[in-house]
Amino acid sequence: MQFSVSDLVQIILSGVAMGSIYALMALGFTIIYNALRLINFAQGDMFMLGATFGLTLFVMWRLPFSVAFLLAGLGVAVVGMIIERTVFRPLRRYPVLNLIIATIGISITLRALALIIWGSQALLFPPVFGDKPITVGKLVLMPHYLWIIGIAVVVIALLQAFFTLTLPGKAMRATAQNRDAAALMGINVFRMDSLASAISAGLGGFGGVLIAPVFFVTTEMGALAGLKGFAAAVLGGFGTIPGAIVGGLVLGVSESLAASVVSAYRDAVAFVILIAVLLWRPGGIMGRKTR
Amino acid sequence: MLEVKGVECFYGNINVLKGVSFRVDKGEIVALIGANGAGKTTTLRAISGLVRVAKGEVVYEGRSITNHPPYAIVARGIVHVPEGRQVFQELSVEDNLILGAYTVKDAAAKRETLRQVYERFPRLKERRRQMAGTLSGGEQQMLAIGRALMSRPRLLLLDEPSMGLAPILVREVFSIIEEISKTGTTILLVEQNARMALKLADRAYVLRTGSIVLSGSGREVAANPEVREAYLAE
Ligand SMILES: Nc1ncnc2c1ncn2[C@@H]1O[C@H](COP(=O)(O)OP(=O)(O)O)[C@@H](O)[C@H]1O
Ligand SMILES: [Mg+2]
């Protein structure tokens, strides 16, 4: 098989774009894990809700895409906050396994509700980022990949600024590091749980509404996205923010490269890479070298 | 200022505090001593809202704070420096201090307190950009105390501040406690180092398996034959 430079750039660009989406998902897993020591099996459904909310706001209510994008992400963040208040908080005094099982229940419930609202048909989201390729010299680039990467970079940069520059962001990190000590600083640690759940869900939601104009929207679309996001988080080093970003990008690019050779196995490739990396580095790429 | 009245606490169904009563008056240094496992840490956690009080009452400045959430108790001016320092390892020294002032809204007051804490602990200023986890044990203890001072507490609960420190640092910690007390902060001090704690304290209580068994001025308690045998190892 023969690739031109332009082909290769295309493949890497689409890999980085998908990788940015995986990174958003992986960050969602990471942030809620750090707050609640919880693997949230409903994270994929936040992605689905982002896409379906976006669809309703943009296609049915005819809001500008930028507004639909923001409202969809914020709407999913509110869903995350409601889940924390109604499910995670009451279950906190039980073993964490109970909570993890509960997230499976949340996932099933959300999919059933989504099916009632949006139906079982795959829905088309108009190509808001334009579907005509742009040419830069000899390179032919799809604009939606550039948009996805650009927006994801902004979202991640804002998240990073929140964690390192603002008092609530520092308080959230402190609570993740030492919950009792954080409480002794006067931090309302339950409010931090709520915020963590909202941010995690919102990141999933932004991922979903970003990808919606590229793929079809279905109520089941969260399942694979959730798995890939989780794989990316593990790949990078579970529980760390840089790990989630690196894991997402590595997964996206290697998947894209592999798919260009054997397109039928695109999704299997992700998990082969995951297993191979974990055999080589059990703590993930950026993980601590323990165990 | 603080009155603990017949407080009982449980871990699961193990009764670790069996009706603890004592009081701390404004401006005092009160020492709470006792063997390992006596319930000293649990007593402080009950005051600061980290463990549930099953029975009894904690009264602060005339009002009950029993089972109030920790953030509400901090807001009332009670700050607890936990056993083993518990600084935020992966945050910078300065961020640890800033979080100590989490309940303080006035930015100018915050800056001024930070300046004062740095003045008192110049080592912390030198290392303010470093991760707290990279500090030595003594420095982490200074940070834990400095962090607590950031909200200008009226009552400071100190849980074994000298634990695991070299003798010279132990003396430094005790002299810092004395200084803090002189600025008008009331102190409840839990210590394994009974000798130094009793020397510093205005009054002291001895806790044994979840009950107060002895109380008096620091000197009286230190002179008690049982205390001398059990805690001062003479
Ligand atoms: N989280 C916990 N779960 C169960 N038992 C505990 C816990 N923390 C302390 N204990 C027990 O409660 C008793 C009092 O502990 P603690 O208050 O830490 O004593 P001290 O500070 O005087 O050493 C001890 O017997 C200890 O083993
Ligand atoms: Mg103790």
Side-chain angles (χ1 to χ4, degrees), chain B residues 11 14 16 34-43 83 159-160 192 207:
Chain B
Y11 288 116
I14 306 163
V16 294
N36 220 338
K40 304 181 298 295
T41 295
T42 308
T43 303
E83 186 175 288
D159 197 346
E160 308 220 18
Q192 289 261 319
L207 192 63

Side-chain angles (χ1 to χ4, degrees), chain A residues 163-164 167-168 170-171 173-175 177-192 288, chain B residues 45 48 50 70-71 74 79-82 86-91 95-96 98-103 110 147:
Chain A
F163 278 128
T164 53
L167 188 62
K170 289 171 186 176
R173 280 159 68 210
T175 307
Q177 285 172 34
N178 188 330
R179 192 173 174 88
D180 278 352
L184 293 180
M185 299 300 104
I187 295 167
N188 181 345
V189 291
F190 288 107
R191 195 172 288 164
M192 291 298 134
R288 296 182 185 88
Chain B
R45 288 169 67 86
S48 57
L50 287 178
Y71 60 85
V74 174
V79 175
H80 175 175
V81 179
Q86 306 204 25
V87 298
F88 302 113
Q89 304 268 334
E90 292 172 42
L91 290 177
D95 282 347
N96 267 269
I98 287 169
L99 285 167
Y102 188 78
T103 54
K110 245 192 256 199
R147 184 177 69 173

Side-chain angles (χ1 to χ4, degrees), chain B residues 4-19:
Chain B
V4 174
K5 298 180 182 169
V7 161
E8 294 192 20
C9 287
F10 292 79
Y11 288 116
N13 47 24
I14 306 163
N15 187 196
V16 294
L17 295 187
K18 301 163 184 165

